[in-house]
Amino acid sequence: GAVVSQHPSRVICKSGTSVKIECRSLDFQATTMFWYRQFPKQSLMLMATSNEGSKATYEQGVEKDKFLINHASLTLSTLTVTSAHPEDSSFYICSASGGSRETQYFGPGTRLLVL
Amino acid sequence: GNSVTQMEGPVTLSEEAFLTINCTYTATGYPSLFWYVQYPGEGLQLLLKATKADDKGSNKGFEATYRKETTSFHLEKGSVQVSDSAVYFCALRRDSGNTPLVFGKGTRLSVIA
């Protein structure tokens, strides 16, 4: 199957700082990438959908100025959590689809802890 | 709106036991249905899928049949192994691969030897 990577896998930061998470599709061109957030023992909640070269579409309740998403190329999307606070601590997961690939492929996730 | 409801866990089974994890959905139109599995410390992996009514998805001994009349997509396996211990997510997708998935809350399965 296709491979989607995320970096970093784990990050700890101080409150008020910004954190960038990268999502890469390693062997296919991802025209669409999705960003999800997963709370402990909860399901994945869609945060936003990003299409290469255009602005991301955010779900209701997700602050676009706080969670900046950039999808500048067909293999890379980034999520930047700006001015992070402890309540932003969570597991962030990206998925990618594109080309002839109907299936979405998920990254391994990034665990963010804000102190 | 679209939603997925799956049985709450955790589910604990002995090795070689029969597994059923119930999943029902609410959606307009004819969604595609999926089961994803998340092993400890790893990302989600597609386990199986079905794209139309009466389709049966199968993989690694797991099966699920798309039942439109009961809006269900229950996951089954005849004989579970310790290595099947993971969290299982039922999900639906309305349209093409470029639309997001809607997930159920996940069911944690623990298989003991």
Side-chain angles (χ1 to χ4, degrees):
Chain A
V3 178
V4 175
S5 70
Q6 279 185 242
H7 178 80
S9 59
R10 184 174 303 187
V11 57
I12 301 173
C13 69
K14 293 182 179 180
S15 186
T17 60
S18 294
V19 175
K20 180 183 283 189
I21 302 170
E22 294 185 347
C23 176
R24 294 182 184 272
S25 59
L26 299 183
D27 57 355
F28 71 102
Q29 294 184 326
T31 51
T32 304
M33 287 186 171
F34 304 92
W35 286 95
Y36 296 86
R37 184 173 177 176
Q38 185 181 25
F39 292 99
K41 299 184 180 180
Q42 298 283 326
S43 184
L44 281 75
M45 301 299 296
L46 179 67
M47 298 175 66
T49 301
S50 74
N51 293 298
E52 186 265 338
S54 61
K55 291 184 178 180
T57 302
Y58 290 80
E59 294 299 299
Q60 192 173 8
V62 178
E63 299 176 59
K64 60 182 66 177
D65 293 331
K66 180 166 188 61
F67 298 100
L68 301 178
I69 291 172
N70 183 283
H71 191 167
S73 77
L74 287 171
T75 59
L76 174 65
S77 177
T78 59
L79 166 68
T80 301
V81 183
T82 62
S83 186
H85 289 98
E87 58 265 29
D88 299 324
S89 299
S90 192
F91 195 52
Y92 293 88
I93 302 173
C94 72
S95 71
S97 67
S100 61
R101 297 176 184 269
E102 275 287 302
T103 300
Q104 289 181 25
Y105 294 92
F106 284 79
T110 296
R111 189 165 300 283
L112 170 63
L113 176 62
V114 185
L115 302 176
Chain B
N2 302 320
S3 65
V4 175
T5 303
Q6 61 182 105
M7 64 184 287
E8 294 189 19
V11 174
T12 302
L13 295 174
S14 298
E15 209 166 20
E16 299 184 5
F18 185 85
L19 168 71
T20 299
I21 301 178
N22 290 337
C23 171
T24 57
Y25 67 91
T26 301
T28 54
Y30 303 95
S32 294
L33 302 174
F34 305 82
W35 276 100
Y36 280 82
V37 57
Q38 186 177 32
Y39 296 104
E42 298 184 15
L44 272 73
Q45 301 174 28
L46 177 65
L47 181 60
L48 53 85
K49 67 178 182 180
T51 57
K52 61 183 187 296
D54 299 326
D55 268 3
K56 177 186 283 188
S58 61
N59 186 26
K60 299 180 180 179
F62 290 89
E63 292 183 340
T65 301
Y66 190 145
R67 301 286 189 201
K68 187 172 181 299
E69 62 276 13
T70 54
T71 60
S72 65
F73 193 55
H74 305 322
L75 182 68
E76 296 182 336
K77 186 174 185 180
S79 177
V80 293
Q81 305 299 313
V82 172
S83 58
D84 294 326
S85 298
V87 181
Y88 293 81
F89 291 92
C90 186
L92 69 81
R93 189 183 69 206
R94 272 290 310 281
D95 300 303
S96 69
N98 292 339
T99 54
L101 292 158
V102 176
F103 287 90
K105 290 189 175 182
T107 302
R108 183 176 298 276
L109 170 67
S110 296
V111 181
I112 54 177

